[in-house]
Amino acid sequence: MHMSKRRAAVAGASGYAGGEVLRLLLSHPDVEIGAVTAGSNAGERLGVLQPHLVPLADRVLEDTTPETLAGHDVVFLGLPHGQSAVIANALPEETVVIDCGADFRLTDSAAWEKFYGGEHAGSWPYGLPELDGQRDKLAHATRIAVPGCYPTVSTLALAPAVAAGIIDATGIVVVAASGTSGAGKAPKPHLLGSEVMGSASAYGVGGTHRHTPEIVQNLSGLTDAEVRLSFTPLLVPMPRGILATCSAPTTVTAEEAYATYEKAFADEPFVHLLPAGVWPQTKSVIGSNAIHVQVTVDEDAGRLVAVAAVDNLAKGTGGAAVQCMNLALGLDETAGLSTVGIAP
Amino acid sequence: MHMSKRRAAVAGASGYAGGEVLRLLLSHPDVEIGAVTAGSNAGERLGVLQPHLVPLADRVLEDTTPETLAGHDVVFLGLPHGQSAVIANALPEETVVIDCGADFRLTDSAAWEKFYGGEHAGSWPYGLPELDGQRDKLAHATRIAVPGCYPTVSTLALAPAVAAGIIDATGIVVVAASGTSGAGKAPKPHLLGSEVMGSASAYGVGGTHRHTPEIVQNLSGLTDAEVRLSFTPLLVPMPRGILATCSAPTTVTAEEAYATYEKAFADEPFVHLLPAGVWPQTKSVIGSNAIHVQVTVDEDAGRLVAVAAVDNLAKGTGGAAVQCMNLALGLDETAGLSTVGIAP
Amino acid sequence: MHMSKRRAAVAGASGYAGGEVLRLLLSHPDVEIGAVTAGSNAGERLGVLQPHLVPLADRVLEDTTPETLAGHDVVFLGLPHGQSAVIANALPEETVVIDCGADFRLTDSAAWEKFYGGEHAGSWPYGLPELDGQRDKLAHATRIAVPGCYPTVSTLALAPAVAAGIIDATGIVVVAASGTSGAGKAPKPHLLGSEVMGSASAYGVGGTHRHTPEIVQNLSGLTDAEVRLSFTPLLVPMPRGILATCSAPTTVTAEEAYATYEKAFADEPFVHLLPAGVWPQTKSVIGSNAIHVQVTVDEDAGRLVAVAAVDNLAKGTGGAAVQCMNLALGLDETAGLSTVGIAP
Amino acid sequence: MHMSKRRAAVAGASGYAGGEVLRLLLSHPDVEIGAVTAGSNAGERLGVLQPHLVPLADRVLEDTTPETLAGHDVVFLGLPHGQSAVIANALPEETVVIDCGADFRLTDSAAWEKFYGGEHAGSWPYGLPELDGQRDKLAHATRIAVPGCYPTVSTLALAPAVAAGIIDATGIVVVAASGTSGAGKAPKPHLLGSEVMGSASAYGVGGTHRHTPEIVQNLSGLTDAEVRLSFTPLLVPMPRGILATCSAPTTVTAEEAYATYEKAFADEPFVHLLPAGVWPQTKSVIGSNAIHVQVTVDEDAGRLVAVAAVDNLAKGTGGAAVQCMNLALGLDETAGLSTVGIAP
């Protein structure tokens, strides 16, 4: 028996997260695209704002309101910080609402206030199925917070080591090089092509980036030990992709570390532990929901080093959102998603 | 009744064309991947050479020989110039052989000898279904020559104007900016990242590029008038994509030109005439089989100007190969192909 | 006897043109930097806005007013369109004022109104010393309009052919691929790194770009024949540089064309005709005041093809401004300027 | 009295290091360029191989031999590993020989054999004048080993903290993102533009990169404490530049850290400590001999974080070589060098 298609709305369809959700839904076997909405871009055609989405070229963006988003099985929110709660509260409880923003990711109000400021809206089930026990919590959830892009790649790069207790979690260092789309589509001078091409830069240094407490929250859930993290994001000249270099003190060997990761990721459809000796490159995961991981141990330094690559807009945002939708709607977790990247 | 899947082999699977055919076949509903073969890379695993093709990571490349390629419904050839004929001749006549190389594209032996040198191997049905009458010739063909990337985009950008006789075809000028993957994966100093990033350059200037006679051949087939073409390829810093700027003398108005193009492409599944005023960008077509086109008339200059964008590896090579396979095998022409690009 | 240094002010010092003028003046042997001014960025330090200008890091931007700009031998204007006239009129006649903007480039009021709109402010001596007779006009001029970047490279690529009458100037086609800095530092969505990296696009197609009449004006000054130009600018993923591909019908041979160019540029300090067979790449001219040119003839197409590369911010704007200053102040034309680019 | 110019030869003039030395020497007030030599490229013209060096376009590359290099005040070597000793030994002791390669950088033969293999050629005075006491050792030295690019930026980013004893030097982590020119001009598949554009990757992970022992050697010279280093190099899509993110456990405050760095670099002409809150970007130092540094403390993580940017070919190689030459020849240390980068 052929199941009728589920109907999805996308709010914030003119942005990068919304555009990526639409791109993925266009090839999803079980979903049809309903309302596509925007803020200041309402009234414009997608053919002008997202010209890569050819089948939607004639769609006109509606206003983002509870009314335009009503009547869908699932609603994806790709909104500026702080705007998700109002919309979500106005939608029926049984509607699956998947928030690509940060509003509902943190469970700790103090952390929220320190890093984001303002009142904490609360927390929703966290959309990282690869975290221990999380897949079950997402099945049939109706409110889901999609993880941040840095937290996804950093957490998965370190989770096996933290969970297995083979690193000293008080000495974690993550340096993550990101493409520019993670900063969104709102034009700012330092994100101009003229500024970013040919340049690498650091920002949010010294533990100030908002994704820091989210990574700590994720890793702390895997261990009773204290987690201390030095996180530095870099901006590098590419539109998509994050490469996270993660290390922590260890006493195990490279072989033990690799075996730990192999076991941890054995059944994960989207986490790909590379053959020993092959190190991740972001190009391999562009457009896909895969995350590539490699791990070794530097015995001179006494540190485990794990490197992971992800497409920040796909598995880092839009792909994760679709993966969570699949779980929430009881579909095949991998439906409409792929592990095949676009290279070169 | 469910049809059993067709079996495809890919020769030259470690190169860019072969890798792209594999990427597309991995999501093709009607095809399974059989032999994957290479020259000097035989014996290596795809997980090392094409790490983006995760589902094929453990596949070991076999030698490219008639024996390894036997027993498939379709064989894709992504081989160096001059190597296709020997392989193709050794395969059964009923096997569909699709050559991504140049060996069988030109019908004119004199043009072959002038631009390629050596003996002309002959010509096969030309794999550009969008050319008038060509779709029928490809249905059930068993030998197909995939067009060059520049000819695909240049031909489609000009075909409506030439066919309708609204330009003076003796004054055609094409300047086409290409990403670097068109030059292949064989390492050469001028293709190093250090050389191409931050730089635009011209090459093959003055009518010397090998794709010149192929474009002339295509356009000449659409008109009784003489075709003269000035073609200049540019190398610009991006891995994929071609943007072709094409012009010729005209006396029609912009509206007449647009209407001519609209009519010509109305039923084409992969040619997307953009809304008036929106000009093509290669980013919109990356990874897709779409070609984006826009046209206008510069009345001061008295020239029609058409601009088209294509992914040189997708619709420009591997996607065209799959499209041709679909036609040759009697499948839906669009099976396994998409008009949705990856952006940003 | 050692001459005392001339004193230069730069208005618009937080923008790309102003920043480039400052970069060049910092190594100029005969000039010292006086006031540096800005509009909305007044009050900020250059160390924050132009961190590459280390020796000026502690300089605070003043407001752009006739008062702050008074008392200098030379004033460079890097202002938004339409703002130069008011400032210039308030400065003493003997102060050398060099406008990097478009306000005073066009002599034809009708062309101004068609392409820029609004009232035409008039025209100043045109700062392209390589044009026949122009060098003399710039010596001791006190008001100079720096050419647009596209006009500089397009004009010089075609000037020898037009002046010698070896092309049919009614059939000129120029397609010029530009880096993004030509569009300035004001943030706009289509100029974001996420949008431009990995993408080539066309804009201002069909004779609508504002630099079109400027190129026609320049070439028309070299011939009695009619000049008709089809000009298409492309945006390609690099921060600096323009590569212009220029062609027109001809009956001369490649050797005759090369000889014509060789003769025309023999005494030009900044125009470098490449050895036969070597084609320009923008990387070779980055940071320098050089323009690289090559020419050939496509006999099949019957067209002369000239390709030229320039750094749009250096010889295309700031370097040209300094070159003009040298002439106006009676200094060595090449002082503080170089033909050596930064590569790779 | 005007001193006659010193005469410099450059061996390996077709490579990136040699090309950069030549670029800098072309604007050096006290040096003239003598022999330019190469290996397999001997006989070619620089106008073809290094087209950005316009004033040297007609120079023909000679063979790299003791004879062609004889008769110069200074000889720069930009040769493949292992080739410098033979050449240097054949040159007179009083000739200043400056090796841009690795052969003479390490003092520890065991480290050499572990990381490079083969016999250790010995060590020369180390060309990093900013290291305590090193400037004096370079004055009038006649054999100088130019530091590696990663060691230059990593050492300077950490030296003040190590020397002042404000970090735990057993817990140093450096992740350094580099442009591609550091890998040289020899074509390899993974360095193709098609591979590197749009991609970030890690390599030499786990303490295996050859620059690791050199950084440890430099920092160990500044402290009696043990130095342990986890070093991970990244390849990011830009032609030039390195951004090093360096951290280690600390108990000082951000203000104390900044003050320590301010004092350490107060008299250094090329080390630029950025204003507090401004973080380095590689674009700001391209083409210059400047190194930009910023430092803070992440109190949650208990780590000092220092970030530094350098142009790997300039201060990272060729600029350092010229700076060392200046010291060795008794010239002004900054002659021919600049702190002004090319941006955007």
Side-chain angles (χ1 to χ4, degrees), chain B residues 279 296-301 303 305, chain C residues 203-209 212 230-233:
Chain B
W279 288 89
T296 193
V297 168
D298 179 342
E299 295 193 0
D300 288 344
R303 294 182 77 91
V305 187
Chain C
Y203 70 104
V205 188
T208 63
H209 192 281
T212 309
S230 166
F231 173 65
T232 306

Side-chain angles (χ1 to χ4, degrees), chain A residues 170-171 173 303, chain D residues 165-173 247-252 297 301-304:
Chain A
T170 64
V173 175
R303 293 182 78 91
Chain D
I166 62 173
I167 56 172
D168 171 4
T170 65
I172 295 174
V173 175
S247 70
T250 194
T251 55
V252 303
V297 169
R303 294 182 77 91
L304 175 148

Side-chain angles (χ1 to χ4, degrees), chain A residues 164-178:
Chain A
I166 61 173
I167 56 172
D168 171 4
T170 64
I172 295 175
V173 175
V174 174
V175 178
S178 176

Side-chain angles (χ1 to χ4, degrees), chain A residues 304-321:
Chain A
L304 176 147
V305 187
V307 179
V310 77
D311 181 335
N312 59 303
L313 289 182
K315 175 60 178 162
T317 307

Side-chain angles (χ1 to χ4, degrees), chain A residues 24 98 127 146-147 152 289 314-325 337:
Chain A
L24 293 166
I98 298 176
V146 175
T152 292
N289 211 51
K315 175 60 178 162
T317 307
V322 171
Q323 187 181 355
C324 290
M325 175 197 74
L337 298 170

Side-chain angles (χ1 to χ4, degrees), chain D residues 236-283:
Chain D
V236 298
M238 54 193 195
R240 287 180 176 232
I242 298 179
L243 186 86
T245 303
C246 312
S247 70
T250 194
T251 55
V252 303
T253 65
E255 291 69 28
E256 290 167 329
Y258 192 88
T260 301
Y261 276 63
E262 204 166 23
K263 189 174 162 200
F265 295 139
D267 298 327
E268 286 301 334
F270 295 115
V271 188
H272 178 54
L273 184 65
L274 290 164
V278 178
W279 289 88
Q281 58 181 16
T282 58
K283 188 182 281 282

